[in-house]
Amino acid sequence: MEREINGKIVETDPEGYLVNLEDWSEELAIELAKEDKLELGEGHWKIIHYMRDYFSQNGTAPNLRFLQKGLKEEFGPEWSDKKFLFSLYPFGPAKQAGRYAGTPKPTGCV
């Protein structure tokens, strides 16, 4: 599927994950969120940037368990609360935030 972001054609797979990870931009994240009827706030961006950093360091996107553990270490215990994470990303924190972050689909996510 092709999308035009700031005059650039960006290709995604049928689930909305980037085909070329280098095509990521904050504008793309905002567009994907709009499609999900979600407005990105500070908490969303913290998770998006955490996902990008995790991927660049590990070569894989974190699944929910690793995301919770890492966010707790990075930002404090409230960030590991599953209910809190689902309030930000109702379609699945690791999966939905990963799409917005331009990382591949986390392993173990259906």
Side-chain angles (χ1 to χ4, degrees):
M1 181 175 188
E2 290 184 347
R3 304 162 190 277
E4 186 174 339
I5 307 292
N6 291 335
K8 181 180 179 185
I9 300 298
V10 176
E11 192 174 347
T12 60
D13 71 10
E15 292 184 89
Y17 291 92
L18 285 175
V19 172
N20 299 306
L21 302 181
E22 301 79 32
D23 287 340
W24 184 82
S25 68
E26 289 191 355
E27 292 80 13
L28 174 68
I30 292 167
E31 286 301 313
L32 291 172
K34 282 181 186 176
E35 290 174 14
D36 290 340
K37 297 180 179 21
L38 191 67
E39 186 174 332
L40 299 178
E42 183 181 340
H44 296 98
W45 286 111
K46 279 186 173 186
I47 295 172
I48 288 168
H49 290 295
Y50 177 83
M51 296 278 293
R52 291 189 57 76
D53 291 343
Y54 185 99
F55 179 76
S56 77
Q57 292 171 12
N58 299 287
T60 185
N63 62 26
L64 181 57
R65 187 168 55 91
F66 285 111
L67 179 61
Q68 287 177 282
K69 182 180 180 202
L71 291 173
K72 181 179 180 180
E73 291 171 3
E74 185 87 13
F75 303 119
E78 64 276 6
W79 287 84
S80 68
D81 180 66
K82 194 181 281 191
K83 188 175 181 180
F84 170 72
L85 294 175
F86 273 90
S87 74
L88 292 173
Y89 291 103
F91 299 121
K95 186 176 177 181
Q96 191 175 18
R99 271 193 319 114
Y100 299 170
T103 63
K105 186 176 180 178
T107 54
C109 286
V110 285

PDB file of all heavy atoms in Angstrom, residues 9-10 20 31 41-42 52 59 75 89 100 104:
ATOM      1  N   ILE A   9       6.488   9.226  -1.540  1.00  0.00           N
ATOM      2  CA  ILE A   9       5.698   7.993  -1.535  1.00  0.00           C
ATOM      3  C   ILE A   9       6.333   7.022  -0.542  1.00  0.00           C
ATOM      4  O   ILE A   9       7.521   6.728  -0.608  1.00  0.00           O
ATOM      5  CB  ILE A   9       5.648   7.350  -2.936  1.00  0.00           C
ATOM      6  CG1 ILE A   9       5.010   8.310  -3.942  1.00  0.00           C
ATOM      7  CG2 ILE A   9       4.905   6.016  -2.902  1.00  0.00           C
ATOM      8  CD1 ILE A   9       3.572   8.677  -3.647  1.00  0.00           C
ATOM      9  N   VAL A  10       5.501   6.558   0.387  1.00  0.00           N
ATOM     10  CA  VAL A  10       5.939   5.625   1.418  1.00  0.00           C
ATOM     11  C   VAL A  10       5.109   4.361   1.263  1.00  0.00           C
ATOM     12  O   VAL A  10       3.881   4.426   1.195  1.00  0.00           O
ATOM     13  CB  VAL A  10       5.748   6.234   2.826  1.00  0.00           C
ATOM     14  CG1 VAL A  10       6.097   5.238   3.907  1.00  0.00           C
ATOM     15  CG2 VAL A  10       6.570   7.505   2.976  1.00  0.00           C
ATOM     16  N   ASN A  20      10.089  -0.210   3.774  1.00  0.00           N
ATOM     17  CA  ASN A  20      11.458   0.301   3.921  1.00  0.00           C
ATOM     18  C   ASN A  20      11.530   1.104   5.207  1.00  0.00           C
ATOM     19  O   ASN A  20      10.966   2.200   5.288  1.00  0.00           O
ATOM     20  CB  ASN A  20      11.832   1.197   2.726  1.00  0.00           C
ATOM     21  CG  ASN A  20      11.776   0.427   1.425  1.00  0.00           C
ATOM     22  OD1 ASN A  20      12.403  -0.619   1.286  1.00  0.00           O
ATOM     23  ND2 ASN A  20      11.004   0.927   0.474  1.00  0.00           N
ATOM     24  N   GLU A  31       0.044  10.385  10.612  1.00  0.00           N
ATOM     25  CA  GLU A  31      -0.944   9.929   9.632  1.00  0.00           C
ATOM     26  C   GLU A  31      -1.511   8.560   9.997  1.00  0.00           C
ATOM     27  O   GLU A  31      -2.716   8.332   9.894  1.00  0.00           O
ATOM     28  CB  GLU A  31      -0.343   9.894   8.228  1.00  0.00           C
ATOM     29  CG  GLU A  31      -0.165  11.254   7.614  1.00  0.00           C
ATOM     30  CD  GLU A  31      -1.461  12.043   7.497  1.00  0.00           C
ATOM     31  OE1 GLU A  31      -2.477  11.478   7.037  1.00  0.00           O
ATOM     32  OE2 GLU A  31      -1.447  13.228   7.886  1.00  0.00           O
ATOM     33  N   GLY A  41      -0.089  12.058  21.790  1.00  0.00           N
ATOM     34  CA  GLY A  41       0.328  12.959  22.850  1.00  0.00           C
ATOM     35  C   GLY A  41       1.725  12.606  23.331  1.00  0.00           C
ATOM     36  O   GLY A  41       2.397  11.725  22.774  1.00  0.00           O
ATOM     37  N   GLU A  42       2.151  13.259  24.389  1.00  0.00           N
ATOM     38  CA  GLU A  42       3.503  13.059  24.921  1.00  0.00           C
ATOM     39  C   GLU A  42       3.781  11.597  25.271  1.00  0.00           C
ATOM     40  O   GLU A  42       4.850  11.068  24.975  1.00  0.00           O
ATOM     41  CB  GLU A  42       3.703  13.943  26.153  1.00  0.00           C
ATOM     42  CG  GLU A  42       5.097  13.867  26.730  1.00  0.00           C
ATOM     43  CD  GLU A  42       5.279  14.737  27.961  1.00  0.00           C
ATOM     44  OE1 GLU A  42       4.476  15.667  28.165  1.00  0.00           O
ATOM     45  OE2 GLU A  42       6.218  14.467  28.724  1.00  0.00           O
ATOM     46  N   ARG A  52      11.722   2.818  18.733  1.00  0.00           N
ATOM     47  CA  ARG A  52      12.746   3.058  17.712  1.00  0.00           C
ATOM     48  C   ARG A  52      14.146   2.809  18.279  1.00  0.00           C
ATOM     49  O   ARG A  52      14.988   2.200  17.629  1.00  0.00           O
ATOM     50  CB  ARG A  52      12.627   4.470  17.150  1.00  0.00           C
ATOM     51  CG  ARG A  52      11.356   4.642  16.324  1.00  0.00           C
ATOM     52  CD  ARG A  52      11.301   5.951  15.570  1.00  0.00           C
ATOM     53  NE  ARG A  52      12.435   6.136  14.681  1.00  0.00           N
ATOM     54  CZ  ARG A  52      12.600   5.535  13.503  1.00  0.00           C
ATOM     55  NH1 ARG A  52      11.699   4.686  13.063  1.00  0.00           N
ATOM     56  NH2 ARG A  52      13.653   5.794  12.758  1.00  0.00           N
ATOM     57  N   GLY A  59      17.857  -4.772  16.895  1.00  0.00           N
ATOM     58  CA  GLY A  59      17.544  -5.330  15.585  1.00  0.00           C
ATOM     59  C   GLY A  59      16.204  -6.021  15.514  1.00  0.00           C
ATOM     60  O   GLY A  59      15.890  -6.691  14.532  1.00  0.00           O
ATOM     61  N   PHE A  75      11.192   4.774  32.380  1.00  0.00           N
ATOM     62  CA  PHE A  75      10.308   5.861  32.806  1.00  0.00           C
ATOM     63  C   PHE A  75       9.645   5.659  34.166  1.00  0.00           C
ATOM     64  O   PHE A  75       8.987   6.566  34.657  1.00  0.00           O
ATOM     65  CB  PHE A  75       9.212   6.090  31.758  1.00  0.00           C
ATOM     66  CG  PHE A  75       9.734   6.393  30.386  1.00  0.00           C
ATOM     67  CD1 PHE A  75       9.448   5.562  29.319  1.00  0.00           C
ATOM     68  CD2 PHE A  75      10.514   7.512  30.142  1.00  0.00           C
ATOM     69  CE1 PHE A  75       9.912   5.832  28.042  1.00  0.00           C
ATOM     70  CE2 PHE A  75      10.999   7.789  28.874  1.00  0.00           C
ATOM     71  CZ  PHE A  75      10.702   6.955  27.829  1.00  0.00           C
ATOM     72  N   TYR A  89      -2.623   2.871  23.525  1.00  0.00           N
ATOM     73  CA  TYR A  89      -2.632   2.114  22.269  1.00  0.00           C
ATOM     74  C   TYR A  89      -3.665   0.989  22.360  1.00  0.00           C
ATOM     75  O   TYR A  89      -3.327  -0.159  22.659  1.00  0.00           O
ATOM     76  CB  TYR A  89      -1.244   1.537  21.988  1.00  0.00           C
ATOM     77  CG  TYR A  89      -0.228   2.608  21.657  1.00  0.00           C
ATOM     78  CD1 TYR A  89       0.713   3.016  22.587  1.00  0.00           C
ATOM     79  CD2 TYR A  89      -0.232   3.215  20.414  1.00  0.00           C
ATOM     80  CE1 TYR A  89       1.639   4.006  22.276  1.00  0.00           C
ATOM     81  CE2 TYR A  89       0.686   4.201  20.094  1.00  0.00           C
ATOM     82  CZ  TYR A  89       1.616   4.590  21.031  1.00  0.00           C
ATOM     83  OH  TYR A  89       2.523   5.571  20.720  1.00  0.00           O
ATOM     84  N   TYR A 100       3.516   2.754  14.301  1.00  0.00           N
ATOM     85  CA  TYR A 100       3.760   4.196  14.312  1.00  0.00           C
ATOM     86  C   TYR A 100       5.254   4.505  14.375  1.00  0.00           C
ATOM     87  O   TYR A 100       5.695   5.521  13.850  1.00  0.00           O
ATOM     88  CB  TYR A 100       3.084   4.866  15.498  1.00  0.00           C
ATOM     89  CG  TYR A 100       1.572   4.745  15.552  1.00  0.00           C
ATOM     90  CD1 TYR A 100       0.889   5.137  16.680  1.00  0.00           C
ATOM     91  CD2 TYR A 100       0.815   4.244  14.493  1.00  0.00           C
ATOM     92  CE1 TYR A 100      -0.488   5.050  16.763  1.00  0.00           C
ATOM     93  CE2 TYR A 100      -0.557   4.142  14.566  1.00  0.00           C
ATOM     94  CZ  TYR A 100      -1.214   4.546  15.709  1.00  0.00           C
ATOM     95  OH  TYR A 100      -2.575   4.460  15.790  1.00  0.00           O
ATOM     96  N   PRO A 104       9.511  -3.200  12.484  1.00  0.00           N
ATOM     97  CA  PRO A 104       8.747  -4.383  12.022  1.00  0.00           C
ATOM     98  C   PRO A 104       7.757  -4.825  13.088  1.00  0.00           C
ATOM     99  O   PRO A 104       7.860  -4.439  14.263  1.00  0.00           O
ATOM    100  CB  PRO A 104       9.828  -5.450  11.828  1.00  0.00           C
ATOM    101  CG  PRO A 104      11.118  -4.708  11.779  1.00  0.00           C
ATOM    102  CD  PRO A 104      10.935  -3.466  12.592  1.00  0.00           C
TER     103      PRO A 104
END
